[in-house]
Amino acid sequence: MSATPDPGEDRRAAAWRIAGAVTDPEIPVLTIADLGVLRDVRVGDGPVEVDITPTYCGCPAMNMIAVEIELALEKAGFGRPKVNTVLQPAWTTDWMSEDGRAKLKDYGIAPPPKGGGRRALFGVDTVPCPQCGSIDTGVIADFGSTACKALWRCNACREPFDYFKCH
Ligand SMILES: [Zn+2]
């Protein structure tokens, strides 16, 4: 570590904050920082470079997210940024922040469990109802309103809800 302050650091933090505030068009309460889609921001002499990793289900939305990032950074005076799509390592729901999980639940979508949620895909795990918290729930359809969501129903409050599937 160098003792001299890095003059690029403040700009990088600002660029990170601005890029990270872009929201997912499918789930507008979540930012790409919440989702863990924003992987890196590099600020140097050239254009600002932003790395994003698509969620496994969000491919059509990713083009829109990339454009939103470019516009947001340009508006903030960062010139014309370069947005890279990084596919490896693949995005996992574990990258979703605690904040993001809480927002998802408030939005009425059951968030994926942290860590190794794959079991939930096979119906081994229980998915608590985002409305009443009951774990007496069951899957209705493997695909909900979008491919990344499954449609579940709570047997306690009888309300259907979306479940953000793990991957
Ligand atoms: Zn319920």
Side-chain angles (χ1 to χ4, degrees), residues 2 7 9 19 23 26-27 31 38 45 104 107 114 117 142 159:
S2 159
E9 193 55 40
T23 53
E26 281 179 1
I27 310 165
T31 67
L38 180 63
D45 296 331
L104 203 56
Y107 191 56
K114 187 97 178 166
D142 276 337
E159 288 292 324

Side-chain angles (χ1 to χ4, degrees), residues 25-161:
E26 281 179 1
I27 310 165
V29 291
L30 291 184
T31 67
I32 58 168
D34 290 332
L35 280 164
V37 159
L38 180 63
R39 302 313 298 163
D40 198 13
V41 177
R42 288 178 301 279
V43 174
D45 296 331
V48 179
E49 285 202 49
V50 178
D51 289 350
I52 53 174
T53 297
T55 59
Y56 57 93
C57 56
C59 295
M62 285 318 279
N63 290 331
M64 199 165 150
I65 286 172
V67 170
E68 296 275 337
I69 292 170
E70 287 181 16
L71 291 177
L73 286 171
E74 275 192 62
K75 213 156 71 177
F78 280 92
R80 192 169 177 80
K82 189 166 180 287
V83 179
N84 308 306
T85 303
V86 179
L87 297 175
Q88 289 294 334
W91 181 85
T92 138
T93 46
D94 284 350
W95 292 359
M96 197 183 287
S97 69
E98 285 306 319
D99 221 32
R101 281 161 213 275
K103 283 193 223 170
L104 203 56
K105 186 164 176 276
D106 289 346
Y107 191 56
I109 299 176
K114 187 97 178 166
R118 202 172 290 272
R119 281 160 58 209
L121 276 180
F122 302 100
V124 193
D125 275 345
T126 52
V127 176
C129 167
Q131 264 94 235
C132 71
S134 168
I135 54 164
D136 184 10
T137 58
V139 66
I140 302 172
D142 276 337
F143 292 96
S145 52
T146 64
C148 65
K149 286 176 253 163
L151 188 61
W152 282 58
R153 185 167 54 213
C154 174
N155 295 320
C157 69
R158 301 254 143 221
E159 288 292 324
F161 64 89

